[in-house]
Amino acid sequence: MGDQRAKKSGIAAEIEKKVEQRYAEAEANGTTEAIKLWLNAVVGADHPAINSSEHRDLHKSLADGVMLCKLMNKLLASEGKKAISFQKKVGSPFIAMGNSESFCKGLLAYGLDKEFQFQGVDLWEGKKAQFLNVVNSLHSLGMVANKKGFEPTYTGQQTEYLDNE
């Protein structure tokens, strides 16, 4: 399934390149590895483990939204909150998008601000520039879970991004 869209040019290409550099920074500072370890630890035997924190593997493991919804339900259960509903068998992008939407509703129920949500397409397509939104969402979720004392602890480091341009 190839991408039929025209290549970005001009300012759009520059912005995408800059965001892809931010994704590379997230990988380099260990954020994607911390996310992989945390998701595997929280979800455990309830879902196949993510093999590596490389973009390709992380995206492949998360694209259908099932693991994310299982994570969210464990977090919500720890606070006695109602579980989100999701589809465990994903046969189309529409079902995956629905799972992403359920996860994002769970973020709000868990106490994260709306700004930490991502679009279903960010997760499904998995391009680094858009997938960074998913990584940032999970990183923020891990930080909030830590503040709430959730175990296992998320090991990602607090990072500050300053745009000096």
Side-chain angles (χ1 to χ4, degrees):
M1 130 173 100
D3 190 354
Q4 303 299 320
R5 286 181 264 178
K7 295 255 186 252
K8 291 183 178 163
S9 61
I11 189 111
E14 289 176 35
I15 291 169
E16 186 166 30
K17 187 176 180 185
K18 193 174 206 177
V19 174
E20 285 178 358
Q21 288 172 333
R22 286 236 171 110
Y23 188 92
E25 290 170 16
E27 278 185 328
N29 73 22
T31 300
T32 56
E33 178 68 13
I35 288 169
K36 177 201 83 158
L37 293 171
W38 189 55
L39 287 173
N40 286 342
V42 173
V43 178
D46 290 344
H47 195 81
I50 303 169
N51 293 325
S52 84
S53 60
E54 290 180 22
H55 173 256
R56 183 181 64 250
D57 288 333
L58 200 55
H59 172 255
K60 184 178 170 189
S61 296
L62 301 179
D64 64 8
V66 173
M67 187 176 204
L68 295 178
C69 289
K70 289 178 179 181
L71 166 73
M72 183 52 62
N73 281 340
K74 297 218 179 222
L75 292 170
L76 292 169
S78 74
E79 297 193 322
K81 293 181 178 175
K82 184 176 180 259
I84 56 169
S85 60
F86 65 98
Q87 299 285 324
K88 291 180 180 151
K89 292 190 186 292
V90 179
S92 76
F94 300 106
I95 293 172
M97 300 283 184
N99 284 348
S100 295
E101 193 174 304
S102 291
F103 173 77
C104 286
K105 285 179 183 171
L107 289 174
L108 296 176
Y110 192 65
L112 271 76
D113 293 333
K114 192 175 178 116
E115 68 192 55
F116 295 108
Q117 293 182 337
F118 55 84
Q119 301 295 314
V121 72
D122 295 339
L123 179 60
W124 181 254
E125 288 190 358
K127 293 179 181 170
K128 283 185 180 180
Q130 289 82 0
F131 196 66
L132 180 63
N133 295 327
V134 177
V135 168
N136 288 339
S137 180
L138 290 169
H139 178 71
S140 299
L141 179 61
M143 291 299 192
V144 169
N146 286 352
K147 285 181 187 163
K148 292 182 174 204
F150 182 81
E151 294 287 334
T153 302
Y154 172 67
T155 59
Q157 301 302 308
Q158 189 69 46
T159 52
E160 298 288 330
Y161 290 109
L162 297 175
D163 209 349
N164 297 333
E165 309 207 18

